Amino acid sequence: MKTKISFNSPVILGFTFLCFGALILGIVTGGMTTKAFFSVYQSSLLNPLTYVRFFGHVLGHAGWDHFFGNIMMLLVVGPLLEEKYGSLNILFVILATALVTGVINFFLFPHVMLLGASGVVFAFILLASITSIKDSKIPVTFILVAVIYIGQQVYQGIFVSDNVSQLTHIVGGITGSALGYVLNKDKIKA
């Protein structure tokens, strides 16, 4: 029997390759493309690139460690979610999380540049934990994951001074939870 390689998760793999390409472009251009396309920050609403950045910021990463930290989690959780919910739904989760986190950062933190896929990672983590919902019962694992992951981000946001946007993680988690509820609403009614 021959073993074949399977392109099993086209959205997650495509997203990974886009993030990798954005990182390489950023390195080659000394960060110019990262700032122009792959990060969100306060800019004129008349500038068309502002709207590109509302989505593109999830593709940009500050360096290899940032990239690997996000992509490893996406590659672990993402394919399982894409198999469960389908490619179009996972693409929608990525785009919705990008837009929500980008717009919130744009308006609430005008002097902070946001980039990276961590909001999407947190959306996937919470989406994965709510996947086993059925019969109007909320899984204990979802509650524990929400308390641990979101609680950790709240704690770090208050007590830790770093270069990490905990709000993006929290908003990403909330987005993933809300979309998980919507994607599982038929199981809730059963």
Side-chain angles (χ1 to χ4, degrees):
M1 187 182 307
K2 292 183 180 180
T3 303
K4 296 179 183 178
I5 295 176
S6 168
F7 198 75
N8 63 319
S9 187
V11 170
I12 298 303
L13 291 171
F15 185 78
T16 299
F17 294 137
L18 288 172
C19 289
F20 179 75
L23 179 62
I24 296 300
L25 274 173
I27 291 168
V28 169
T29 63
M32 289 189 320
T33 54
T34 301
K35 185 172 182 184
F37 305 108
F38 307 120
S39 56
V40 67
Y41 48 87
Q42 187 71 50
S43 59
S44 171
L45 290 172
L46 298 176
N47 182 347
L49 287 179
T50 297
Y51 302 97
V52 170
R53 289 189 288 264
F54 282 158
F55 294 96
H57 72 94
V58 297
L59 301 175
H61 288 85
W64 289 108
D65 289 340
H66 188 207
F67 171 78
F68 285 127
N70 284 329
I71 294 305
M72 288 305 296
M73 283 300 293
L74 284 171
L75 288 172
V76 169
V77 178
L80 301 171
L81 293 172
E82 190 168 347
E83 183 178 322
K84 168 83 175 160
Y85 294 110
S87 297
L88 287 178
N89 284 327
I90 291 305
L91 179 60
F92 179 75
V93 170
I94 292 170
L95 293 173
T97 303
L99 181 61
V100 169
T101 56
V103 168
I104 286 175
N105 189 82
F106 181 86
F107 287 108
L108 295 183
F109 301 100
H111 304 295
V112 175
M113 187 166 72
L114 175 68
L115 69 155
S118 58
V120 174
V121 168
F122 272 77
F124 280 7
I125 289 168
L126 274 288
L127 177 59
S129 66
I130 201 169
T131 295
S132 62
I133 195 170
K134 56 185 156 194
D135 301 328
S136 298
K137 296 176 185 171
I138 297 175
V140 172
T141 53
F142 170 72
I143 295 168
L144 289 173
V145 167
V147 168
I148 292 168
Y149 272 93
I150 302 300
Q152 176 191 30
Q153 295 309 303
V154 170
Y155 171 82
Q156 288 180 344
I158 295 170
F159 297 110
V160 177
S161 178
D162 58 16
N163 220 11
V164 176
S165 175
Q166 282 81 18
L167 180 64
T168 299
H169 297 167
I170 293 166
V171 171
I174 292 168
T175 303
S177 299
L179 292 174
Y181 178 82
V182 170
L183 290 171
N184 286 294
K185 67 182 175 199
D186 291 337
K187 288 166 57 175
I188 295 169
K189 292 177 184 175

